[in-house]
Amino acid sequence: MCGIAALQITNPALRPQLGSLLNTMLCEVIERGPDSAGIAVYDNPALTDPDTTVLSLLGGEQALSPAGLASALERELPEAEVTVEVLGDTTFVSGQASSTELTAALETVLPGRDIIGRGRHVAVMKGVGNPRDVAEHHGLTSMTGTRGVAHTRMATESAVTAAGSHPFSVADDLCLVHNGSFSNHATIRRDLERQGVVFDSDNDSEVAARYLATRLTAGEELESALEHLGTVFDGFYTLVVTTRDGMAVVRDPISCKPAVVAVTDDWVAMASEFRALADLPGIDHAHVFEPEPGRVYTWRA
Amino acid sequence: MTITDYSPAAPATPQAPPTPAQSGLRESATFDRATIADIQRAASTGIYDIRGWGAKRRLPHFDDLLFLGASMSRYPLEGYRERCNTAVVLGDRHASKPLHLDIPITIAGMSFGALSGQAKEALGTGASAVGTSTTTGDGGMTSEERGHSKTLVYQYLPSRYGMNPDDLRRADAIEVVLGQGAKPGGGGMLLGQKITERVAAMRTLPVGIDQRSACRHPDWTGPDDLEIKIGELREITDWEKPVYVKVGASRPYYDTALAVKSGADVVVVDGMQGGTAATQQVFIENVGIPTLAAIPEAVRALRDLGMHRKVQLIVSGGIRTGADVAKAMALGADAVAIGTAALIALGDNDPRYQAEYEALGSTAGFYDDFQDGRDPAGISTQDPALSSRLDPVEGGRRIANYLRVLTMEAQTIARACGKSDLRHLEPDDLVALTVEAAAMAKVPLAGTTWIPGAPSSTGVVV
Amino acid sequence: MTAVVQSTAVADPTGTVRGTGPVTATSTATVVDLAATSVRELNAALHDQADPTRNWIITHPAGRHNIAVGIDRDVTLRVDGHVGYFFAGMHQKGEVTVHGNAGQGLAENIMSGRVHVTGDASQSAAATGHGGLVVVEGNASARCGISMKGVDIVVGGNVGHMSAFMAQAGRMVVCGDAGENLGDSVYEARLYVRGQVASLGSDCVEKPMRQEHLAELAELLVSAGRDEDPADFRRYGSARTLYHFHSDNADAY
């Protein structure tokens, strides 16, 4: 139960404003989810680099200092140059390795970390408390980027923790946020667990993220994977999925949970309420609509 | 439902033929006679059985709990002499005009339509006489109802039948209904026999149709939207009225927590024994959890949020005696609501209508065809001839009497436990008679410190 | 609130709203800036029957929820900008206009009076409305007119899926297209659609357009300030097969 704000910028001239635009959108959906928040930003050169994998770790303070963590990881990954940067409540670990290798090294050096984001394009930040503060701690307004998604959460059946916050980023450069409530996620979770999938939280939305990641990793296209999701998951949902090169929106066949999309030549945006879109540049001339039930919408950057 | 044969076997007499058991016949526990009748009824009609009342199956209940009266380690209060407060304030979290009730026993929501005008009047005058509230139902507020009830809670339901802002402003509190214990997740029903011209006009429906009302609210879903909806109701009524949120007991921990987060002043949790006017039997008997199991979970949610006693909890579903009132309150409720028991106080299932119950294919003590509109007691009917049998003045007196007895019984127990206020009863005053009740109520099995499922069985409720 | 309210001369308080009825003869309005005044203060002022103000202009609504809910007097109110959920909820008597878009539950349970939106309305517009007129010049999304109980709704654009679900009474006019399952489980409401209907819901059927229907449709279009030709519309309503429980209808329950 929450608020969603997502923005994908196609016009390069607007990309420096991604963070400030997303922050404005986020602030308009705070009332929908005051417990906690999460934000994903794609292609912010300060945090990500296409030649390097970045892991986003929950918590600004780790058992090792940033420099200590970096050198410990470099001992595990002699080929890689590792950097560790702390921003607000999140620690970013970067290195020239695959996310699997980097994750394994991290698990050796600092076991039990919550990895909330991974990939070469996306940085994920989460925190408990007022979403406005979470965004401010991470300096969202000054971030540049190609797309971003922000989520404010009112926890329903799982705990109010940063780990339970959206987005769920469980495969490289894949993020999923959800507003609503699935009604058969426990069974799907068990099916995935039997296939060897490991979960980080008890959140129903993570099940959707893992399901999607499994299909995408097997080589399926995003559109097709989301259509399959619609045949497997029951309940009420508005989902936003972001990848390294695009963004998708899908609602369940009943579509009670709110969603508004606005599209211009410069950007595509989605939010739980129109108010979050109202200040975007050129909104007066945007094509504004509410996604139809059960239909998968995708936009490539 | 039609009762085939629930009566106990007649005592054997020299003249009586042998009972089936005496003849060596064995009845199936799985396919007992009621089940056989249900299957045959389904096969002949092709439609599910709809009836009134709540769950009839045996459930862990307040009967499975006992109070630990004071003796040496604690001191009791003198009955009738030393004060034991029963008054309760409901809805002082946000509302500028919270309810001040003299007793913590309220009348649950039952609609005009489901009940006769006479029954509604009796409930209103009876409750007002002892300083407590009544509640409207799925069908709007009648002017008579407003007139008879000193304190009236106006239900805000998915159907919005008869919903209008004038009545909202005339109400003393607003109850946003998400569900009820008899059918969490289900919508309302009122069958054609009861959709008279007046009921139809109140609900903007054609006369005589079978009314199926919505299970979800038409303009919001989920707690994030509910928060905005509660804001709207407060704005319309200038933040005067307490806003209750009523849920049927199924996941009471989450539902209570989310009601609080959505801004409720009062949370109402209705267990599966809670009654209904017309619902599928399969729903009544198989969906939801017992009242006993629901209370501790709702209280845990309030405690976890630091809101116990700040957001009040009203519990309903199977409250019959003052002991039930005291037990619900000891588990953490601030007040209770009664529905079925109030109808029984009015004369529902009274043996004096035995012949008529039999003519309807039922018997006194079993009658549950509230959907049918042919209630001999004149309560769950819109038939003028039947409803005129219920004298609303006498009915009001009976309701007031019954509410007074419930209150005095609860006080008797509270004083015995050394409490000068009903709300000072606590789980630690209770023990359980069965392992099931101990686990659900989270109180120790009598004579032990064992709470099944508790992390440490020290007798401390967790 | 007085500190932030100012009286100002307004040449035409209804501005350039397309389709509003006759302009009320007035030259002043009270302006309430929601950047400086809370929604709660605004609503309290609107509810104050002793308040002599008849014309209101609301600025900087910023999509806030529950603006102008529970109005129960003859006021004219104009909002310059977008509004959130439940705008003009349970509206009575007055005439309110939004120059912008409206969020979920626009004019829910409206009793009388008029609510007009120049842009789009989100889902459940005019839900359970008992009377009055709701006009949306743009599109209304899903569940427009759900459980309507006598309200009249005129939508200039399209309506989304499940519109007029369980609609009990009143009239709904859609000048554009209707989404899936129009009029599912409809009772006695009358539905008029000019464009395509994606599909009809359970128990909703097309019905002949008789003279009386053309006449009432023409009246509704005029009152909403529209110039579509009633002859271009089709009428839909209840087949009344679900009015009584019957096992043959099991698929529809």
Side-chain angles (χ1 to χ4, degrees), chain B residues 234-253:
Chain B
R234 291 198 192 284
E235 285 294 328
I236 290 172
T237 55
D238 294 316
W239 292 72
E240 288 180 354
K241 324 280 183 196
V243 177
Y244 300 11
V245 170
K246 177 176 178 176
V247 295
S250 54
R251 294 181 173 88
Y253 179 83

Side-chain angles (χ1 to χ4, degrees), chain B residues 22-336:
Chain B
Q22 284 166 338
S23 303
L25 300 176
R26 176 181 288 186
E27 181 173 16
S28 167
T30 306
F31 291 95
D32 61 5
R33 276 166 281 179
T35 305
I36 290 169
D38 283 345
I39 293 171
Q40 290 171 345
R41 192 209 54 76
S44 71
T45 64
I47 194 94
Y48 40 51
D49 190 16
I50 294 170
R51 67 165 171 89
W53 204 277
K56 288 187 162 187
R57 62 158 74 211
R58 170 150 177 76
L59 294 164
H61 198 37
F62 295 120
D63 294 336
D64 302 319
L65 300 180
L66 295 173
F67 278 102
L68 302 174
S71 62
M72 183 83 87
S73 63
R74 298 198 182 192
Y75 313 143
L77 300 186
E78 287 289 356
Y80 304 107
R81 297 187 188 85
E82 288 167 346
R83 189 177 147 69
C84 177
N85 178 55
T86 63
V88 61
V89 176
L90 299 176
D92 54 352
R93 181 188 184 193
H94 293 301
S96 64
K97 295 184 177 170
L99 301 194
H100 292 261
L101 302 184
D102 294 338
I103 62 170
I105 307 155
T106 65
I107 305 292
M110 293 176 277
S111 70
F112 171 77
L115 299 190
S116 64
Q118 287 84 343
K120 288 295 285 180
E121 178 179 345
L123 293 173
T125 53
S128 299
V130 293
T132 190
S133 62
T134 63
T135 312
T136 65
D138 195 358
M141 182 193 292
T142 65
S143 52
E144 295 97 314
E145 182 171 27
R146 178 60 280 189
H148 296 308
S149 291
K150 186 169 160 288
T151 307
L152 182 59
V153 182
Y154 188 27
Q155 285 195 329
Y156 189 71
L157 290 132
S159 67
R160 313 274 165 87
Y161 293 133
M163 169 50 58
N164 77 72
D166 299 327
D167 288 341
L168 203 65
R169 294 183 193 101
R170 292 199 296 165
D172 298 295
I174 302 160
E175 183 170 290
V176 179
V177 180
L178 275 84
Q180 65 187 87
K183 48 177 172 180
M189 275 189 183
L190 197 63
L191 301 192
Q193 303 90 304
K194 295 171 82 170
I195 311 276
T196 62
E197 271 186 38
R198 185 174 184 206
V199 172
M202 282 179 68
R203 302 182 185 209
T204 328
L205 288 170
V207 175
I209 69 154
D210 291 335
Q211 166 231 300
R212 301 149 288 142
S213 51
C215 67
R216 286 198 312 272
H217 281 260
D219 54 355
W220 64 270
T221 43
D224 42 15
D225 286 355
L226 174 58
E227 181 184 18
I228 306 170
K229 172 53 72 176
I230 288 176
E232 184 203 7
L233 296 171
R234 291 198 192 284
E235 285 294 328
I236 290 172
T237 55
D238 294 316
W239 292 72
E240 288 180 354
K241 324 280 183 196
V243 177
Y244 300 11
V245 170
K246 177 176 178 176
V247 295
S250 54
R251 294 181 173 88
Y253 179 83
Y254 297 123
D255 290 346
T256 302
L258 291 169
V260 171
K261 288 185 189 180
S262 302
D265 294 308
V266 174
V267 180
V268 184
V269 175
D270 189 23
M272 76 178 287
Q273 297 99 320
T276 173
T279 298
Q280 299 94 325
Q281 169 157 271
V282 69
F283 210 145
I284 298 174
E285 294 290 351
N286 295 286
V287 183
I289 65 171
T291 306
L292 187 68
I295 306 173
E297 285 295 277
V299 172
R300 185 166 68 87
L302 292 169
R303 288 224 169 90
D304 284 355
L305 293 167
M307 297 306 272
H308 190 223
R309 304 293 187 215
K310 293 177 184 151
V311 168
Q312 287 81 28
L313 174 68
I314 300 179
V315 165
S316 54
I319 301 281
R320 305 149 301 176
T321 64
D324 292 348
V325 175
K327 288 168 185 174
M329 295 185 72
L331 290 175
D334 294 273
V336 301

Side-chain angles (χ1 to χ4, degrees), chain A residues 28 31-32 251 253-258 260 272-275 278 284 288 290 292-293, chain C residues 62-65 82 84-85 101-102 104 120-123 139 141-143 161-162 180:
Chain A
E28 294 298 328
E31 290 162 37
R32 305 190 63 84
R251 299 167 88 193
I254 296 173
S255 288
C256 278
K257 296 314 294 178
V260 188
S272 298
E273 297 177 27
F274 179 79
R275 63 194 287 190
D284 291 343
V288 178
E290 298 194 9
E292 284 181 33
Chain C
R64 285 188 185 80
H65 305 309
H82 310 295
Y85 278 45
N101 296 342
Q104 193 164 318
D120 294 341
S122 185
Q123 59 181 322
N139 300 317
S141 72
R143 285 172 273 272
H161 70 284
M162 289 304 264
E180 301 277 348

Side-chain angles (χ1 to χ4, degrees), chain C residues 184-206:
Chain C
D184 194 291
S185 305
V186 62
Y187 291 94
E188 295 296 306
R190 292 195 288 283
L191 318 175
Y192 298 98
V193 182
R194 184 164 175 267
Q196 299 295 311
V197 174
S199 68
L200 293 174
S202 290
D203 212 27
C204 185
V205 291
E206 185 173 351

Side-chain angles (χ1 to χ4, degrees), chain A residues 229-258:
Chain A
L229 184 146
T231 65
V232 170
F233 282 76
D234 199 357
F236 292 76
Y237 53 88
T238 292
L239 299 177
V240 178
V241 177
T242 46
T243 63
R244 57 187 296 178
D245 62 353
M247 173 172 129
V249 173
V250 63
R251 299 167 88 193
D252 67 83
I254 296 173
S255 288
C256 278
K257 296 314 294 178

Side-chain angles (χ1 to χ4, degrees), chain B residues 362-388:
Chain B
S362 187
T363 189
F366 293 75
Y367 180 70
D368 57 16
D369 288 326
F370 294 170
Q371 83 290 346
D372 199 28
R374 293 188 287 169
D375 180 0
I379 299 167
S380 61
T381 181
Q382 292 298 314
D383 181 319
L386 292 172
S387 59
S388 65

